[in-house]
Amino acid sequence: MLSPTVSQSTFDENSGDLLDLLTDGWNDSLKTKITGLKWTREYLARLTSLPLDKLLHEPLELEEQQAKIKHDSQQLAFREYPSFLQVQTCRQQVKETFDSLDGQLSNFLSTMPKLQEACESFRAQAKEIREEHEKINSVLEYQSVLTDLLEIPQLMTTCVRNGYYSEAMDLASHVRLLQVRYPLPIIKNIQQQVQASSDLMLVQLISHLRKSIRLAAAMNVVGFLRRMDIFESETELRMVFLRCRHDFLQQRLARIRRDVSEDARQRSLDAFEYLKRFIDVMREQMFEIGTQYISIFSNEQSTLLPDYMVQVIELIRTTLNTYLPMIEDTSSLSSVLTQLQYCGMSLGRIGLDFRHIF
């Protein structure tokens, strides 16, 4: 008796031969498909295991099963006809949807470069807006400081116009320091406005020296001019002081100047009155100029004041030479001489006695 393993191996070989025989003449793709199915080999195994009477009856059973399957398929098609129509409709709609989606996807892909450019442009604009927003936030954060900074020129002008020169100089010094630490256009603009106010302050200070001024006020003005540090040397400052005080002297002399009459007697009286006022003005102003100069510039080592006084005395000499010949009255001449001697004696208190000259 043969073993089961040998019988099974023999059966597989016979099934394979039978399958090759049945599929002989088929095309390769169909033959490969059929021979590769497990069901095919199982059915051949079943056929070869049937007795003869059942094997002969097998075709009839297959026909009956085929008829039954066909009938069931027809019934199913009739019963599920609406479903088949709906499935076909859905299939067509799905196909159309996929076609439309393919077209839209193509359009989307074609617009991608423009979309990318738009995104890049948006990102650049958003970056600018963000930076601008950050600047605005910074301005808001330091609003009080910026307000104080922008109000410096106006405050400087107010101080100068109201005579608060010390405060104005403090503001100017603060702005100069800011310009060194923060060389920005806005700081430069503020510094220019402050400089304009400083120029106005310089004009005002010098104008004070060209008017009637007391010693204390004159010392303050000179102190402010020193603090402004606009003169190259102390000598230049002293020359400016003498020039301004001399301008005021000329103003005083201009106010007393009068026309001389053509009549000899009246001309003598006019000359006498003018010389009296002239000597009084010169005595007052020379004494005031000398006193203020010596007090303000206490460490004087130059010859500016003596040289200036020599020029003023020369002015006195010139005036005397012009008007004395016009005075015919001897008593008037004596009065003028006495007044002139008193002037020299008064100026002698500050070392300007010029009586020996006349």
Side-chain angles (χ1 to χ4, degrees):
M1 184 176 178
L2 297 173
S3 63
T5 303
V6 175
S7 300
Q8 183 65 32
S9 175
T10 304
F11 174 75
D12 292 338
E13 292 177 359
N14 294 332
S15 297
D17 294 338
L18 178 60
L19 184 59
D20 292 336
L21 180 62
L22 291 175
T23 58
D24 187 25
W26 294 7
N27 57 55
D28 294 338
S29 60
L30 182 59
K31 182 177 180 180
T32 302
K33 182 178 180 181
I34 294 299
T35 56
L37 294 175
K38 181 180 180 182
W39 175 85
T40 302
R41 297 187 178 277
E42 291 179 350
Y43 183 68
L44 287 178
R46 177 177 173 277
L47 287 180
T48 55
S49 63
L50 292 175
L52 181 58
D53 55 344
K54 290 186 177 182
L55 184 61
L56 294 175
H57 190 66
E58 183 69 16
L60 182 59
E61 289 183 0
L62 290 175
E63 291 178 358
E64 291 177 354
Q65 290 181 5
Q66 183 179 8
K68 182 177 180 303
I69 292 172
K70 183 177 180 181
H71 179 266
D72 292 341
S73 299
Q74 291 175 352
Q75 290 295 325
L76 178 63
F78 180 76
R79 185 174 65 252
E80 299 295 336
Y81 179 71
S83 299
F84 291 158
L85 291 179
Q86 186 177 3
V87 168
Q88 179 62 24
T89 302
C90 292
R91 176 181 174 276
Q92 185 65 28
Q93 292 178 350
V94 169
K95 182 178 181 301
E96 293 176 355
T97 301
F98 274 106
D99 292 341
S100 176
L101 181 63
D102 182 66
Q104 294 177 3
L105 183 60
S106 298
N107 293 334
F108 175 75
L109 292 177
S110 64
T111 57
M112 277 298 294
K114 295 182 179 180
L115 178 62
Q116 186 176 4
E117 292 178 1
C119 291
E120 293 293 336
S121 176
F122 174 78
R123 183 173 63 179
Q125 294 179 2
K127 182 179 179 181
E128 294 178 358
I129 294 174
R130 185 180 69 251
E131 293 176 352
E132 192 69 22
H133 182 69
E134 291 176 353
K135 292 180 181 179
I136 294 174
N137 287 336
S138 298
V139 171
L140 290 176
E141 183 179 356
Y142 297 100
Q143 181 181 5
S144 59
V145 178
L146 292 174
T147 301
D148 294 340
L149 184 63
L150 295 175
E151 289 179 351
I152 287 179
Q154 182 180 359
L155 183 60
M156 175 80 172
T157 302
T158 303
C159 290
V160 171
R161 294 188 183 278
N162 290 278
Y164 299 111
Y165 300 122
S166 179
E167 290 77 2
M169 291 181 185
D170 291 339
L171 289 173
S173 177
H174 178 63
V175 171
R176 285 194 296 269
L177 180 61
L178 287 177
Q179 188 178 17
V180 173
R181 296 179 60 184
Y182 308 104
L184 302 175
I186 186 172
I187 301 298
K188 183 178 180 181
N189 186 29
I190 292 174
Q191 197 277 333
Q192 292 174 351
Q193 298 180 51
V194 169
Q195 183 60 43
S197 297
S198 297
D199 295 340
L200 176 62
M201 179 170 59
L202 175 62
V203 172
Q204 289 185 359
L205 290 172
I206 291 179
S207 67
H208 288 315
L209 294 177
R210 288 194 172 102
K211 299 184 295 185
S212 177
I213 187 171
R214 295 184 179 275
L215 176 59
M219 294 181 70
N220 288 333
V221 170
V222 173
F224 289 139
L225 291 174
R226 280 199 185 102
R227 185 174 171 186
M228 291 184 71
D229 194 23
I230 58 173
F231 299 106
E232 295 182 358
S233 64
E234 181 72 10
T235 301
E236 184 178 359
L237 176 60
R238 295 173 180 178
M239 292 176 64
V240 170
F241 176 81
L242 291 176
R243 175 74 263 181
C244 293
R245 299 313 296 157
H246 185 72
D247 291 341
F248 179 65
L249 171 62
Q250 293 294 336
Q251 295 173 22
R252 290 288 306 275
L253 294 177
R255 286 197 292 268
I256 66 173
R257 186 172 290 114
R258 56 192 300 177
D259 295 331
V260 179
S261 175
E262 295 295 333
D263 181 69
R265 184 176 180 181
Q266 184 62 37
R267 182 172 55 194
S268 176
L269 291 175
D270 292 340
F272 173 68
E273 292 295 330
Y274 175 73
L275 284 178
K276 284 177 57 178
R277 295 181 181 180
F278 175 79
I279 295 173
D280 285 339
V281 170
M282 295 302 292
R283 177 178 54 80
E284 294 174 3
Q285 294 305 309
M286 290 177 68
F287 183 80
E288 184 180 78
I289 293 172
T291 303
Q292 291 179 352
Y293 186 91
I294 294 172
S295 299
I296 295 172
F297 306 104
S298 57
N299 57 345
E300 171 68 17
Q301 296 180 353
S302 65
T303 59
L304 282 177
L305 182 61
D307 292 342
Y308 170 72
M309 288 302 175
V310 169
Q311 297 297 324
V312 174
I313 293 173
E314 185 63 29
L315 173 62
I316 296 175
R317 180 195 297 273
T318 302
T319 304
L320 291 175
N321 291 336
T322 302
Y323 287 93
L324 282 178
M326 300 180 186
I327 302 176
E328 298 177 352
D329 186 19
T330 306
S331 61
S332 298
L333 288 174
S334 176
S335 177
V336 170
L337 181 59
T338 301
Q339 189 177 5
L340 189 62
Q341 293 296 318
Y342 173 73
C343 177
M345 182 178 62
S346 177
L347 293 176
R349 290 180 294 173
I350 58 173
L352 297 177
D353 189 354
F354 57 84
R355 288 177 294 176
H356 62 283
I357 298 177
F358 303 100

